[in-house]
Amino acid sequence: MARDYSTLHDPNAEYTMRDLSAETMGVTRERGGPRDAVITDVQTAMVDGNFPWTLVRVYTDAGIVGTGEAYWGAGVPELIARMKPFLIGENPLDIDRLFEHLIQKMSGEGSVAGVTVTAIAGIEIALHDLAGKILDVPAYQLLGGKYRDEVRVYCDCHAGDESEPESCAREAERVVNELGYDALKFDLDVPSGHEKDRANRHLRKSEIEHKADIIRTVTERVGEQADVAFDCHWSFSPGSAKQLARAVEDCGIWWLEDPVPPENIDVQREVTHSTTTPITAGENVYRKHGQRRLIDEQAVDILAPDLPKVGGMRETRKIADLADTYYIPVAMHNVSSPIATMASAHVGAAIPNALAVEYHSYELPWWSDMVEEPVIEDGYIEIPEQPGLGLTLDLDVVSDHLVAGETLFDE
């Protein structure tokens, strides 16, 4: 039967061309069996980790539940609650359509970037876990299969006195020798004692020498055993960033991350092209559209999207595909619980240009207790063959560490 398009441009009509719900897309299915499951509920619970992790659960009438995670941010649980009516009654296997449906329905809340994209990403990860369970396949299979059985993890390290080069070197030795990591990262936006005005982003000669000393001391101590990266957290001016990057070109560092603020891609490109020190950025650029200029203009040597922040699993896969057209490797930024960490690992298994996934919680003793299965072992994540993400939340541990005022999922 022909569809009636007479109301498509009527602002008072119930649906418009921008609505990608199953009804308006003409999607119909005969009911029967788990592949015809429909979403019945969406719930969140925020865990008080070293960041406030927003866990997301999507429920179905088939009794199968998917678990995801959104990057921390004020208002994320409220945004997910706002999206719940757009998901109830939908088939969770339609991941791409539901993602676009939410992007369009939430355009008024700013689904180009920011916490709205992050909230959608949390749902999208849960849909991958759910779809994998329904189809009885691991999540990486939904992304095209895998290139590798395990994904390398780099440990974000924090020394007792991060401004002291020897303190950083000692911690690097400990993490390599005692914890088994062969990839590390240290912060470089630390006080040197020589600052006059940090607001202007300019580094004086003595400040550059201090930061170069940290890099040299750490790389000389563990450079034969581990790759080491250094994070600047968008702190420096272009001129200072270029001087610093050139000063350590002989150190063989893995990368220098976010040396300049993230808004101006022209400046980012200029810094990257000025040095042989590898430059990394990307965690503050949302969706494939936001990452496009970083890639097309080769403004980075290594791309660092944060999966539960920039759009989720399939969006990160699409970003990685764009990066691969320029042979740019992907090192996923990650400050998440085991849920989004494993989601990043599944994507890392499914893309050719995966370099590593970050781990930011080595000082949090109960991080691994949040799930029943092992996640990181000897600096690597072995990709599970169980359906979905392959993880089972320990709800008792989650309950013990909820943010004040939060309640556990209503099972």
Side-chain angles (χ1 to χ4, degrees), residues 49 53 68 112 137 193 199 233 244 277 298-299 319 361 387:
W53 302 316
V112 172
V137 295
H233 290 117
L244 174 60
T277 296
Q298 299 174 67
I319 290 166
S361 304

Side-chain angles (χ1 to χ4, degrees), residues 24-96:
T24 57
M25 291 290 288
V27 177
T28 59
R29 288 186 178 87
E30 294 296 326
R31 299 289 297 139
R35 291 185 65 184
D36 293 309
V38 298
I39 297 170
T40 58
D41 198 7
V42 182
Q43 299 182 26
T44 63
M46 189 176 289
V47 177
D48 189 11
N50 52 327
F51 295 89
W53 302 316
T54 302
L55 301 180
V56 184
R57 300 200 102 180
V58 177
Y59 298 80
T60 67
D61 63 349
I64 303 173
V65 180
T67 303
E69 179 181 349
Y71 187 90
W72 63 282
V76 169
E78 292 79 7
L79 283 165
I80 291 173
R82 166 90 168 83
M83 287 182 263
K84 180 177 171 179
F86 308 137
L87 295 166
I88 300 300
E90 297 284 357
N91 190 298
L93 297 180
D94 296 334
I95 299 175
D96 271 358

Side-chain angles (χ1 to χ4, degrees), residues 81 100 250 276 279 336:
E100 292 298 332
D250 63 335
T276 60
I279 304 296
S336 304

Side-chain angles (χ1 to χ4, degrees), residues 215-244:
I215 290 172
R216 292 185 187 281
T217 304
V218 172
T219 54
E220 287 173 4
R221 192 70 56 86
V222 299
E224 296 298 318
Q225 301 167 273
D227 290 314
V228 188
F230 295 88
D231 196 341
C232 304
H233 290 117
W234 320 280
S235 299
F236 309 139
S237 69
S240 295
K242 286 187 280 189
Q243 289 183 64
L244 174 60

Side-chain angles (χ1 to χ4, degrees), residues 35-203:
R35 291 185 65 184
D36 293 309
V38 298
I39 297 170
T40 58
D41 198 7
V42 182
Q43 299 182 26
T44 63
M46 189 176 289
V47 177
D48 189 11
N50 52 327
F51 295 89
W53 302 316
T54 302
L55 301 180
V56 184
R57 300 200 102 180
V58 177
Y59 298 80
T60 67
D61 63 349
I64 303 173
V65 180
T67 303
E69 179 181 349
Y71 187 90
W72 63 282
V76 169
E78 292 79 7
L79 283 165
I80 291 173
R82 166 90 168 83
M83 287 182 263
K84 180 177 171 179
F86 308 137
L87 295 166
I88 300 300
E90 297 284 357
N91 190 298
L93 297 180
D94 296 334
I95 299 175
D96 271 358
R97 180 179 61 78
L98 292 179
F99 178 83
E100 292 298 332
H101 182 43
L102 294 178
I103 289 290
Q104 294 193 3
K105 295 296 280 186
M106 299 298 288
S107 59
E109 280 84 353
S111 57
V112 172
V115 293
T116 303
V117 173
T118 292
I120 294 172
I123 294 169
E124 194 260 14
I125 295 169
L127 290 175
H128 275 87
D129 186 42
L130 182 52
K133 292 174 180 176
I134 290 173
L135 299 174
D136 196 27
V137 295
Y140 71 77
Q141 202 70 64
L142 303 173
L143 301 169
K146 62 180 176 178
Y147 283 86
R148 53 193 65 84
D149 295 322
E150 60 181 14
V151 172
R152 193 182 191 191
V153 175
Y154 74 88
C155 185
D156 190 294
C157 302
H158 298 278
D161 182 356
E162 294 182 289
S163 64
E164 173 53 51
E166 180 60 29
S167 179
C168 293
R170 285 196 302 268
E171 182 66 354
E173 282 186 306
R174 187 184 77 82
V175 172
V176 169
N177 296 325
E178 296 182 17
L179 303 185
Y181 290 90
D182 64 359
L184 316 174
K185 186 169 78 175
F186 285 85
D187 290 344
L188 210 56
D189 57 326
V190 293
S192 66
H194 303 284
E195 292 87 358
K196 293 296 184 181
D197 185 350
R198 298 190 73 178
N200 61 27
R201 302 191 180 96
H202 175 70
L203 292 176

